[in-house]
Each structure stands twice: as structure tokens, then as C-alpha cells.
């Protein structure tokens, strides 16, 4: 267990620190500022969803059982709350329907003290992209709640990246969120003040999800003639075996017994009954602040009384008791700032660190090597001012970023050498030709190999095996073992990217579903509770956006609403 109590006097306290000021962080700030989603109608084209909406007890979505409302929904996200919010904001959008949203955001909630930290202006990585690139999503899908995305001047259904970046910057201003944003700031460290797992407890995420569902309430002593709770006994045995004094067995009434799998399916928490004579002793833990209603119980509340541990519910006694320390650096002034907070929300996207080929790992990148399209274009434009003739540009990769680079280089009348490991690209199967003609053009070039397309030569099923920076010579190796040697002017390795979570402590970096792999938005997102977006095994740490697999803007509001709903409940604001 790690406990840090000594803090500098100049530490700034916030209830919530949001790391990342892209659309995910903006949506999160919107909810925390008190602008909450309210249902305006329950008439949805999905009859099952419409039926569930008719049973809500309040029009404010924050206070609803989001898991229940999201049951049965399917779409391009694996997170149920994201699918729910998309269904309410863009009903049947995937079928081409343009319907009015069933929600509106109103300034009806209590403001949660928070700060959004970002490297650049609000909008995140949209400000670093090639401004002339068109979005994959329709322009209308790039909007955040409350302000529609403006129609493109060129009448394109898709939007230019420069328009998207400008929209997010204007959105923060018009929604009066500027006071929550701190720009030109790099987060250098995030540290937990408490270990959320006892050292002798199992590490299975399923175990901790089960513990989180246990609820406690006080019952008179007359209810003790009930059957023992085997589940609670097992949990207590695991979590308090180091205690010097033996805890009483928790009990529950027989009519509460039901199949565990059915409880999981219905997302109904188990209820554990604490006898009345335990009530006095348990007052030392402020999770028993209510004597009449059920109160959520965390794994910490099972801990032995003699272990010095910050309690999950210390907020009722010490509302400004922090659980996390966040350190940041102002890139303009060099000033460092330390924040303490109860909750941290990771909203830093997935494009910070480009993937690198093995031959470049551990080496300094040569001057002619880049990992993003904007840098490639800058180098090309600078070189073309000095000469009109350049050696071919090497592009490695078979995704959309590589396709963008192929188009950008050919438009400058510079030859392209395109290297990729497969036989062809796969993106043509996902993108209809009538909406994405430029990508299908590149796909045709990759299949053709370059025999009928000027300034383009493809090397399918090849790998880059050697790079000589002094002579700008590269060696390619085919699948059959044939070697090709080429002279190039520049090289762009565009094989995807991953989030930069280097500010986390080493023991906190294994956040993915697969602990032995790096976080990847497509193959290994952060392991979260699907209804609250809290990171498994890390109390008070949340993740939203591409970090959890929500790679399209239209799904980002769902994560913000899920986190907002959980925080409003934890802080007793609803």
C-alpha cells in the first residue's frame, strides 16, 4: 500500500482533473459544468428502446439506470452507454436517417470543480492534422451536444480537419467552458495516494466488479434469523484475514437469494444485511452515513479497522480529501504545477505516440524520416523550393494515413514507393466508394502495383529491413526473400499510433484488457467498468474516448455521461 500525506502548500485542489482537451475532454467538461442530458421525448424508432424510455422515473438521464436503457443496443462501439447516447443523439444514423435527437442539454446540474489539461488549444489532435484532410465521419457527426456542426462551404458531406479544429475551439468558448481549460500544458506525472487493492486480495477484475456490487444497509436485530451469506463470508475472509479481531458474519434474508448469473445479467446489486448490534462499531466508517437506505460499499470498506487507509467515502467527513496527485508543465513558461484531486479522467486520445518499426527502435530518427503526414508535407514543400526533382518518397503502411500520404506526395508530382506487408489494403471494405472515392483510388493503385499509375510504385508483401541515413538508401525484403535496394528522398512510416501514458506510474501502466500489451484503441483498450468507465482496479481513475475503444466522435458523449453519472452519485449531487 502506498500512502502519501505530505503535500506542498502550493498544491492546487480540484475535485476532478481531466487529462486531454480533445472532443472527449470537452464533452467531459460539459457534463461536469452542470449541463446535463434531459429526454425531450421517448419516441424512438427502436421500439424496444422506446419502451424502456417510457419507464424512466425522471427526464434527467444522469439519474437513470444507464445499463438497463442500453440493453440490446448494437453498433460501432463495444461500450453500451456510448451506444445508448449515440442512439439518442443520432437515431438510426447508420441507416442514413437524419432525425432530431431525443435529448437536450440543460444547465440544471450542480457544477463539479474540475480542470481540463491540454497541450494545445481545445480540440486536441485535430489542430495537428493536415487541415485539408477530410473526416471519415459525416460533418454532422463531428458535433458535440448543444451546437450543430456548420455546413461545409464546399457542400461536402464530410468535413475538413481545419473546420473540425475551429469548431471545437469555438464550442468551448460558446458553451462558456473556457474557465475550466488550461492549454499549453503537458502532464508529467499522475500518482495515486492510495492503493485500492489489499495486498492479499485476488487481482481478478471480475472479483472487484463483484465486490463493487455489494450494498449494505442496517436492519434491526430481529432479522438475524436468516441464512448465512456465503458470498459475503468469502469476501470477508479474503479481505480481512490480516485483522486481529474477527468480524461478524453478514446475513441476508432468504427471499433475497437468487442465481448469481441472473443478478449479473440484470445488473442488480446484492444486498447484505448488517445486524443492528454492528451499527455502533461501524460508525467509524462513514460509508454508513445513512441508516435507512442502501449505500454503495467499496473494497476498501472491507479492510481491517487497524490498517491506516484512506476510505473511499472520506468525502462525507473531508470533502477535499484527495486521492490523486497530478503534476503538469507549462510548455511556454516552463512553470510546473501540482494538483491534488479526488478523480482523474483520462481523455488523452490515441494519437500521441506513433508506432515505430523495429529497425528504428532505440535509434535516433534520421532527418529524412517522419511519422506523420503534416511533417512529411512540410519537408516536401521545403525541398521543392530548392529543386523540382526529388528521389522517390518511401511510404510504409497500408492504412488510411498511408493512403493520405500517397495522395499528398503524388499531388506534388513527386514519385512514391509504397511498401506494405499484405497483398492489398483492407479499408475499402469498410468505406463505401461513393463517399470515399480518394481511398478507393489508392486501393486500386495498390492492387495494380503501379504499372498504369504514374509516380507510383507498390511493393506488396515487402518489409523495410535496413536504412542508411547517410546515403538515404533503404533495403526492402520480400516475402519470398528477394532484396530490393532503393534511393529515396524522404521516408514516412505510417503504421498506426498509440496513446502516450508515460505520465502514469510504472505499476499503473498495465491498464489494458491484456496486461502484457500496450494500450491500443482497437486491439487492447483500457479495461473499464462498462457502465461507469472507471478503470478496473484503480479507484477514482476513469478513461473515455479512443482509450476505451470509442474511436468516433459521435460515441464520445456516452463516456462523458457515464462518468458524469457516476461522479454525481459518488458526490451526492443527485
Amino acid at each position: 500500500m502506498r500512502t502519501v500525506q505530505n503535500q506542498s502548500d502550493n498544491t492546487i485542489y480540484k475535485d476532478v482533473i481531466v487529462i486531454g482537451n480533445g472532443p472527449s475532454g470537452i464533452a467531459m467538461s460539459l457534463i461536469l459544468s452542470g449541463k446535463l442530458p434531459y429526454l425531450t421525448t421517448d419516441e424512438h424508432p427502436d421500439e424496444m428502446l422506446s419502451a424502456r424510455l417510457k419507464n424512466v422515473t425522471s427526464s434527467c438521464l444522469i439519474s437513470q439506470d444507464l445499463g438497463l436503457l442500453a440493453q440490446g443496443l448494437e453498433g460501432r462501439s463495444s461500450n453500451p452507454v456510448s451506444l445508448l447516447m449515440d442512439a439518442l443523439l443520432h437515431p438510426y444514423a447508420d441507416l442514413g436517417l437524419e432525425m432530431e435527437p431525443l435529448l437536450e442539454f440543460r444547465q440544471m446540474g450542480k457544477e463539479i470543480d474540475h480542470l481540463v489539461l491540454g497541450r494545445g488549444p481545445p480540440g486536441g489532435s485535430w489542430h495537428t492534422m493536415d487541415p485539408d484532410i477530410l473526416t471519415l465521419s459525416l460533418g454532422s457527426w463531428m458535433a458535440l451536444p448543444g451546437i450543430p456542426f456548420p455546413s461545409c462551404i464546399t457542400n461536402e458531406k464530410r468535413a475538413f480537419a481545419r473546420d473540425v479544429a475551429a469548431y471545437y475551439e469555438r464550442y468551448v468558448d460558446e458553451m462558456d467552458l473556457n474557465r475550466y481549460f488550461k492549454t499549453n500544458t503537458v502532464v508529467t506525472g499522475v500518482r495515486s495516494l492510495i492503493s485500492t487493492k489489499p495486498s492479499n486480495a485476488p487481482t481478478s477484475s471480475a472479483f472487484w466488479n463483484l465486490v463493487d456490487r455489494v450494498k449494505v444497509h442496517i436492519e434491526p436485530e430481529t432479522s438475524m434469523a436468516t441464512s448465512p451469506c456465503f458470498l459475503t463470508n468469502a469476501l470477508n475472509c479474503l479481505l480481512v484475514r490480516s485483522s486481529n479481531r474477527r468480524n461478524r458474519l453478514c446475513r441476508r434474508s432468504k427471499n433475497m437469494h437468487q442465481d448469481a448469473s441472473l443478478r449479473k445479467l440484470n445488473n442488480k446489486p446484492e444486498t447484505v444485511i448488517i445486524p443492528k448490534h454492528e451499527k455502533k462499531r461501524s460508525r467509524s466508517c462513514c460509508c454508513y452515513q445513512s441508516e435507512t437506505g442502501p449505500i454503495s460499499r467499496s473494497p476498501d470498506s472491507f479492510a481491517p479497522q487497524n490498517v491506516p487507509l484512506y476510505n473511499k467515502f472520506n468525502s462525507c467527513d473531508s470533502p477535499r480529501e484527495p486521492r490523486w496527485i497530478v503534476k503538469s508543465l507549462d510548455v511556454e513558461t516552463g512553470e510546473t504545477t501540482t494538483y491534488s484531486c479526488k478523480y482523474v479522467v483520462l481523455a488523452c486520445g490515441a494519437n500521441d505516440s506513433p508506432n515505430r518499426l523495429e529497425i528504428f527502435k532505440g535509434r535516433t530518427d534520421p532527418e529524412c524520416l517522419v511519422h506523420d503526414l503534416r511533417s512529411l508535407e512540410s519537408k516536401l514543400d521545403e525541398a521543392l523550393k530548392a529543386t523540382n526533382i526529388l528521389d522517390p518518397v518511401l511510404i510504409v503502411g497500408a492504412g488510411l494515413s498511408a493512403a493520405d500520404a500517397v495522395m499528398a506526395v503524388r499531388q506534388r508530382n513527386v514519385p512514391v514507393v509504397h511498401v506494405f506487408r499484405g497483398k492489398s489494403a483492407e479499408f475499402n471494405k469498410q468505406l463505401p466508394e461513393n463517399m470515399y472515392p480518394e481511398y478507393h483510388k489508392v486501393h486500386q493503385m495498390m492492387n495494380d502495383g503501379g504499372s498504369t499509375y504514374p509516380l507510383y510504385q507498390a511493393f506488396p508483401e515487402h518489409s523495410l529491413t535496413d536504412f542508411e541515413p547517410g546515403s538515404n538508401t533503404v533495403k526492402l525484403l520480400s516475402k519470398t526473400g528477394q532484396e530490393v535496394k532503393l534511393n529515396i528522398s524522404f521516408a514516412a512510416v505510417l503504421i498506426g499510433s498509440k496513446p502516450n501514458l508515460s505520465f502514469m506510474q510504472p505499476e499503473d501502466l498495465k491498464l489494458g484488457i491484456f496486461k502484457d500489451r500496450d494500450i491500443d484503441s482497437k486491439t487492447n483498450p483500457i479495461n473499464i467498468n462498462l457502465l461507469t468507465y472507471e478503470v478496473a482496479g484503480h479507484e477514482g481513475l476513469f478513461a473515455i474516448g479512443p482509450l476505451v475503444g470509442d474511436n468516433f466522435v459521435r460515441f464520445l458523449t456516452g463516456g462523458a455521461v457515464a462518468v458524469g453519472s457516476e461522479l454525481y452519485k459518488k458526490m451526492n449531487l443527485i
Side-chain angles (χ1 to χ4, degrees):
M1 182 184 71
R2 294 176 287 110
T3 304
V4 178
Q5 292 176 301
N6 296 326
Q7 299 175 30
S8 174
D9 293 336
N10 60 357
T11 298
I12 301 173
Y13 175 83
K14 295 288 181 181
D15 286 330
V16 182
I17 293 292
V18 181
I19 301 176
N21 65 352
S24 298
I26 296 172
M28 190 72 256
S29 181
L30 181 76
I31 302 298
L32 297 178
S33 71
K35 296 181 176 66
L36 306 183
Y38 280 78
L39 283 170
T40 57
T41 176
D42 55 24
E43 297 297 329
H44 193 278
D46 184 332
E47 294 182 359
M48 297 299 292
L49 176 57
S50 184
R52 294 195 295 273
L53 293 175
K54 293 182 186 297
N55 294 324
V56 299
T57 57
S58 166
S59 61
C60 181
L61 211 63
I62 288 290
S63 60
Q64 302 304 316
D65 185 340
L66 300 178
L68 177 63
L69 293 178
Q71 283 184 1
L73 296 178
E74 297 179 352
R76 300 183 185 182
S77 173
S78 59
N79 299 314
V81 182
S82 296
L83 292 173
L84 172 65
M85 290 302 299
D86 179 60
L88 298 177
L89 290 171
H90 309 101
Y92 276 12
D94 287 331
L95 298 182
L97 300 181
E98 294 185 6
M99 303 178 62
E100 291 295 320
L102 282 68
L103 293 174
E104 66 178 17
F105 284 70
R106 306 172 186 169
Q107 188 70 54
M108 302 288 286
K110 293 183 179 179
E111 175 187 10
I112 294 179
D113 186 25
H114 70 281
L115 190 66
V116 182
L117 305 178
R119 296 184 179 183
S125 61
W126 287 98
H127 290 278
T128 65
M129 296 180 185
D130 183 331
D132 295 322
I133 286 183
L134 288 170
T135 60
L136 290 180
S137 299
L138 298 178
S140 59
W141 294 355
M142 305 306 294
L144 293 176
I147 301 178
F149 192 86
S151 299
C152 297
I153 300 176
T154 58
N155 293 322
E156 292 274 2
K157 290 185 177 179
R158 295 151 63 193
F160 288 105
R162 60 172 175 267
D163 296 328
V164 177
Y167 166 81
Y168 292 134
E169 202 166 1
R170 186 174 66 254
Y171 183 93
V172 169
D173 184 55
E174 294 184 9
M175 298 300 283
D176 195 25
L177 301 176
N178 272 319
R179 63 185 184 275
Y180 305 113
F181 282 70
K182 193 174 190 306
T183 59
N184 301 315
T185 301
V186 175
V187 174
T188 58
V190 174
R191 183 161 47 96
S192 174
L193 295 178
I194 175 177
S195 175
T196 58
K197 295 179 184 179
S199 59
N200 63 338
T203 57
S204 168
S205 60
F207 175 86
W208 289 102
N209 287 339
L210 183 60
V211 175
D212 282 336
R213 291 188 178 188
V214 177
K215 288 190 174 183
V216 178
H217 68 163
I218 312 303
E219 184 170 278
E221 201 167 358
T222 55
S223 298
M224 291 186 62
T226 55
S227 59
C229 170
F230 71 93
L231 175 61
T232 304
N233 292 346
L235 295 178
N236 280 330
C237 179
L238 289 169
L239 296 171
V240 301
R241 62 172 59 184
S242 61
S243 176
N244 292 328
R245 57 191 181 89
R246 183 176 180 180
N247 290 334
R248 294 269 183 179
L249 294 179
C250 298
R251 301 175 180 270
R252 63 178 178 185
S253 57
K254 292 181 180 180
N255 60 4
M256 295 179 63
H257 179 73
Q258 53 180 322
D259 184 74
S261 61
L262 181 61
R263 287 198 306 272
K264 182 177 181 181
L265 178 64
N266 294 332
N267 199 34
K268 293 181 179 179
E270 180 187 354
T271 302
V272 181
I273 308 302
I274 303 298
K276 184 177 181 180
H277 63 271
E278 293 282 344
K279 176 179 171 183
K280 181 176 181 180
R281 184 181 68 183
S282 60
R283 277 179 180 166
S284 61
C285 173
C286 54
C287 63
Y288 299 120
Q289 57 182 325
S290 171
E291 298 180 0
T292 58
I295 303 174
S296 297
R297 187 176 185 179
S298 76
D300 291 345
S301 61
F302 285 95
Q305 298 292 330
N306 59 346
V307 176
L309 191 73
Y310 284 124
N311 190 279
K312 177 177 180 179
F313 296 91
N314 273 352
S315 57
C316 60
D317 291 330
S318 303
R320 298 174 71 87
E321 188 71 65
R323 299 193 188 101
W324 294 88
I325 290 293
V326 177
K327 293 187 177 182
S328 67
L329 172 69
D330 189 307
V331 296
E332 291 185 336
T333 65
E335 179 184 357
T336 60
T337 307
T338 301
Y339 300 94
S340 63
C341 60
K342 281 186 183 179
Y343 308 105
V344 172
V345 180
L346 301 177
C348 42
N351 299 317
D352 288 333
S353 299
N355 293 331
R356 297 168 59 87
L357 293 174
E358 287 293 333
I359 64 170
F360 294 117
K361 289 185 177 179
R363 298 171 53 184
T364 302
D365 287 346
E367 182 66 24
C368 62
L369 175 65
V370 297
H371 290 90
D372 66 277
L373 175 58
R374 200 164 191 177
S375 297
L376 175 62
E377 291 180 312
S378 297
K379 288 183 176 294
L380 278 174
D381 291 338
E382 185 177 348
L384 287 172
K385 291 179 182 179
T387 178
N388 292 327
I389 301 176
L390 289 176
D391 285 333
V393 173
L394 174 69
I395 296 175
V396 181
L400 296 175
S401 297
D404 289 329
V406 168
M407 290 183 283
V409 175
R410 291 184 74 241
Q411 286 171 1
R412 290 167 169 79
N413 293 319
V414 177
V416 175
V417 173
H418 191 186
V419 177
F420 44 95
R421 290 183 299 180
K423 292 183 178 180
S424 182
E426 297 294 333
F427 52 73
N428 67 307
K429 298 179 181 179
Q430 306 167 3
L431 307 175
E433 186 172 359
N434 62 331
M435 281 287 293
Y436 307 91
E438 73 275 29
Y439 292 120
H440 281 264
K441 185 70 171 180
V442 174
H443 180 258
Q444 293 172 9
M445 296 164 62
M446 295 170 70
N447 286 336
D448 179 79
S451 59
T452 58
Y453 292 91
L455 303 176
Y456 179 83
Q457 185 178 8
F459 285 87
E461 298 185 299
H462 279 67
S463 300
L464 179 63
T465 59
D466 194 16
F467 194 106
E468 299 176 10
S471 60
N472 281 11
T473 301
V474 297
K475 290 181 182 179
L476 308 179
L477 185 66
S478 72
K479 188 177 180 180
T480 59
Q482 294 179 325
E483 189 176 87
V484 180
K485 205 169 188 179
L486 299 171
N487 291 325
I488 63 169
S489 58
F490 298 102
V493 176
L494 303 169
I495 53 175
S497 59
K498 58 189 176 184
N500 182 3
L501 299 176
S502 60
F503 50 78
M504 300 293 293
Q505 296 295 299
E507 62 268 31
D508 294 331
L509 281 176
K510 297 181 179 180
L511 303 177
I513 295 176
F514 303 101
K515 303 298 183 185
D516 57 338
R517 304 184 196 172
D518 291 335
I519 301 299
D520 184 277
S521 62
K522 296 180 180 179
T523 62
N524 191 33
I526 289 180
N527 187 18
I528 57 170
N529 180 313
L530 293 180
L531 298 183
T532 67
Y533 286 64
E534 190 167 21
V535 178
H538 292 73
E539 182 186 345
L541 180 66
F542 297 83
I544 58 177
L547 291 174
V548 297
D550 285 339
N551 296 305
F552 294 94
V553 171
R554 51 186 275 205
F555 295 113
L556 301 183
T557 305
V561 168
V563 175
S565 176
E566 179 70 3
L567 294 186
Y568 268 81
K569 293 171 184 175
K570 283 178 177 286
M571 301 176 73
N572 297 319
L573 297 179
I574 57 173

